[in-house]
Amino acid sequence: MLLQTVRPNIVQAIRAYRVEDLMQAAEAAGQHFLYANLTDAQSKQDVLEKIAESFLFPSHFGKNLDALFDCMTDLVHRSGLQPGFVVVLEQLPDSARFDREAREQLLDVFRDTADFWAERRIPFRCFYSFAVARTADASAWERVNEVVQAPERPAPKAAAKSGTNPNFGMNMPMMSSAFDTAMWINAA
């Protein structure tokens, strides 16, 4: 069983684990599976809103880190005995509005949550991944449709009159390829 190889109260990078496998393992163990895909989030507020929406937090959720901790601990604890939790935070943003410090603060809330449940002997495993770094001017998704300019390449060397190809050395025979535009230009 997958969850037997992971400490019961931990927050760690998802690395070699697949979301589908974690979901099936949580289901097999009878534990809650909480998943938030944060691909579209750009700021701390976006991240908290997406987590609240994905985890079905109550409408009075305060959208701050303290409220996140309360929803992940006290609110759930008061609802009765819990079998355990597998949490996946996929694609935590990497942007100017959600920098490394903000990510660490968020992960600290989940570490504190893991400690809370550890004191009650309830497994709480949180797995996370980071989004690809984005620049301040354009995200990776915005740059996908941009036309890529081919780097300037030096003009191909003209074939020597001696019949040798300067690109291959003196003793190599002349070679032609449909992709060798210099041969086509010289032939014209």
Side-chain angles (χ1 to χ4, degrees), residues 52-141:
E53 177 186 315
S54 300
F55 293 1
L56 304 174
F57 285 169
S59 59
H60 67 271
F61 172 64
K63 295 185 182 108
N64 61 55
L65 296 175
D66 289 335
L68 175 62
F69 178 78
D70 290 344
C71 283
M72 296 294 296
T73 57
D74 291 336
L75 191 66
V76 178
H77 180 64
R78 281 189 261 143
S79 68
L81 185 61
Q82 299 301 319
F85 303 88
V86 175
V87 178
V88 176
L89 304 172
E90 193 166 36
Q91 301 296 311
L92 285 170
D94 181 16
S95 67
R97 294 174 53 207
F98 195 78
D99 60 5
R100 182 179 178 166
E101 182 179 342
R103 286 192 308 276
E104 284 304 312
Q105 289 173 347
L106 177 73
L107 292 175
D108 282 345
V109 169
F110 283 93
R111 289 179 188 107
D112 292 344
T113 302
D115 292 343
F116 175 91
W117 290 108
E119 291 171 3
R120 288 150 184 81
R121 298 184 188 273
I122 305 291
F124 182 93
R125 297 171 179 97
C126 179
F127 299 89
Y128 61 88
S129 67
F130 294 125
V132 176
R134 299 177 181 175
T135 62
D137 58 332
S139 71
W141 290 112

